[in-house]
């Protein structure tokens, strides 16, 4: 993760290209548009004042400069010719002259073309402006969404916007975050989830869900079950999903509040490998996602449970590969095309 607002394009492009070389092409860049402007301005000596709305314009200028630097080296630029003394053919390294509204630079990147040329571009997003930025630049679009209906709308919006920007929609992967707690039984998974409950402020969690539902503080007993709850005053797909979750799992208002707080807006799944796989498969087959960014509720035990219990179940269903390709890059592992190809639609190629 790195900011596209408070850094210099040359420095970041050089760092990521170096890491791509060192890792054999396994680097991705999670592009952060840095909305905590006051904090960043105090901690970065190059911090600049900007309005909240300007951050995507700044980030786009940053992206344009970075992409130009990464693409400055031709694939066959390096020759390592001892007889002539040339490490690289100068004519195959193209100096960049970028004069954008926020960033200006002259010269070529002093790191040769890396295995991926461009790291896989991850874009976390939620706002409409963020969706435009993601559709223009992102290769893996990451969001917080725990409601299937809303996720379908988001998925279609990103794909359509990508197409409007002249990109192949299939070259843009939409992958919401999901927090997983996997056990051999539902009871075991629930016990694992309870390990984090002492670290959540119950009063704050309750206040957040009361505000979300549009209820006055204290209107509903924390111990009450959904059957006793009054009408939701601020209905949405999200609140509907929360109420359904409470009904399905027999959760009190306080228990639901704890889960909502623990998920931080992400999809939270607590259960066996089979039940968790059922939900992941349903979202995937509903054309709401291309995959998931998976996180355990605790580490390292949660990671072990995912790899040893959930992954084999997904492999059994044909939803997860059984073997990693030797020497493949992150871009190849994700099934993403060369970055130069990703900007063209199939219709353009056919034409």
């Amino acid at each position: 993760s790195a900011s596209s607002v408070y850094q210099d394009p040359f420095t970041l492009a050089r760092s990521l290209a170096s890491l791509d070389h060192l890792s054999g092409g396994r680097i991705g860049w999670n592009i952060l548009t840095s909305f905590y402007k006051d904090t960043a301005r105090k901690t970065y000596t190059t911090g600049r004042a900007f309005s909240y709305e300007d951050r995507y314009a700044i980030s786009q200028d940053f992206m344009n400069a970075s992409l130009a630097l990464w693409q400055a080296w031709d694939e066959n630029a390096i020759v390592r010719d001892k007889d002539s003394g040339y490490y690289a053919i100068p004519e195959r390294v193209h100096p960049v002259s970028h004069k954008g509204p926020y960033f200006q630079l002259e010269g070529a990147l002093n790191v040769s073309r890396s295995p991926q040329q461009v790291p896989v571009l991850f874009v976390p997003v939620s706002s409409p402006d963020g969706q435009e930025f993601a559709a223009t630049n992102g290769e893996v679009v990451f969001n917080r969404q725990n409601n299937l209906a809303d996720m379908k709308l988001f998925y279609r919006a990103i794909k359509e916007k990508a197409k409007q920007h002249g990109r192949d929609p299939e070259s843009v992967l939409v992958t919401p975050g999901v927090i997983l707690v996997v056990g051999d039984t539902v009871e075991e998974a629930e016990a694992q989830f309870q390990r984090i409950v002492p670290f959540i402020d119950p009063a704050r969690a309750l206040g957040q869900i009361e505000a979300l539902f549009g209820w006055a503080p204290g209107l509903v007993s924390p111990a009450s079950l959904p059957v006793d709850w009054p009408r939701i005053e601020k209905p949405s797909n999200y609140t509907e999903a929360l109420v359904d979750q409470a009904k399905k799992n027999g959760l009190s208002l306080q228990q639901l509040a704890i889960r909502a707080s623990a998920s931080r807006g992400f999809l939270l799944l607590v259960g066996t490998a089979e039940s968790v796989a059922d939900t992941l498969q349903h979202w995937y087959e509903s054309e709401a996602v291309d995959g998931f960014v998976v996180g355990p509720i605790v580490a390292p035990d949660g990671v072990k449970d995912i790899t040893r219990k959930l992954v084999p179940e997904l492999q059994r269903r044909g939803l997860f590969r059984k073997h990693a390709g030797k020497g493949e890059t992150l871009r190849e592992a994700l099934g993403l095309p060369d970055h130069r190809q990703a900007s063209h639609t199939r219709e353009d190629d056919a034409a």
Side-chain angles (χ1 to χ4, degrees), residues 102-320:
Y102 301 97
F103 301 98
Q104 298 80 41
L105 61 89
E106 297 280 345
L109 194 65
N110 60 348
V111 175
S112 62
R113 177 185 174 122
S114 68
Q116 296 184 112
Q117 185 183 28
V118 175
V120 176
L121 303 175
F122 291 77
V123 180
V125 62
S126 58
S127 69
D129 287 343
Q131 290 184 30
E132 289 293 339
F133 180 78
T136 304
N137 304 284
E139 296 177 292
V140 181
V141 179
F142 167 72
N143 74 332
R144 299 184 188 220
Q145 187 56 260
N146 50 28
N147 176 267
L148 180 57
D150 286 338
M151 191 63 225
K152 286 182 179 181
L153 294 175
F154 179 86
Y155 182 87
R156 288 195 293 268
I158 292 295
K159 298 288 185 176
E160 182 57 35
K161 290 178 186 295
K163 188 174 183 179
Q164 291 172 2
H165 286 286
R167 304 181 64 193
D168 180 354
E170 293 186 14
S171 71
V172 182
L173 304 180
V174 179
T175 60
V178 57
I179 299 176
L180 302 179
V181 186
V182 183
D184 290 326
T185 64
V186 173
E187 292 74 20
E188 180 184 303
E190 186 60 40
Q192 292 182 31
F193 174 76
Q194 291 301 318
R195 291 170 60 184
I196 71 161
V197 171
F199 302 99
I200 299 174
D201 183 340
R204 182 176 182 180
L206 184 62
Q208 289 173 338
I209 206 162
E210 286 174 332
L212 184 66
F213 286 174
W215 294 342
L219 174 67
V220 180
S221 168
S224 64
L225 296 173
V227 67
D228 298 318
W229 295 350
R231 182 183 64 184
I232 304 299
E233 297 298 332
K234 296 181 179 179
S236 67
N237 287 333
Y238 180 34
T239 58
E240 181 181 346
L242 286 174
V243 173
D244 287 344
Q245 181 185 140
K247 291 178 178 178
K248 179 180 178 181
N249 297 286
L251 302 177
S252 67
L253 182 62
Q254 183 68 77
Q255 290 171 325
L256 180 64
I258 292 294
R259 291 210 179 200
S261 179
S263 71
R264 295 169 291 160
F266 293 111
L267 177 64
L268 171 65
L269 300 178
V270 181
T272 62
E274 292 77 11
S275 67
V276 169
D278 284 344
T279 301
L280 298 180
Q281 183 173 3
H282 179 55
W283 279 47
Y284 177 70
E285 293 179 346
S286 297
E287 296 187 351
V289 303
D290 294 308
F292 296 90
V293 177
V294 175
I297 198 74
V298 294
D301 292 348
V303 176
K304 295 177 182 178
D305 289 333
I306 292 170
T307 56
R308 296 174 182 177
K309 298 173 183 177
L310 178 60
V311 169
E313 178 61 25
L314 293 173
Q315 289 174 329
R316 186 184 67 79
R317 302 182 186 206
L319 298 173
F320 197 98

Side-chain angles (χ1 to χ4, degrees), residues 10 69 94-99 103-109:
F10 184 91
L69 289 167
H94 310 284
V96 173
S97 178
H98 178 82
K99 294 180 174 62
F103 301 98
Q104 298 80 41
L105 61 89
E106 297 280 345
L109 194 65

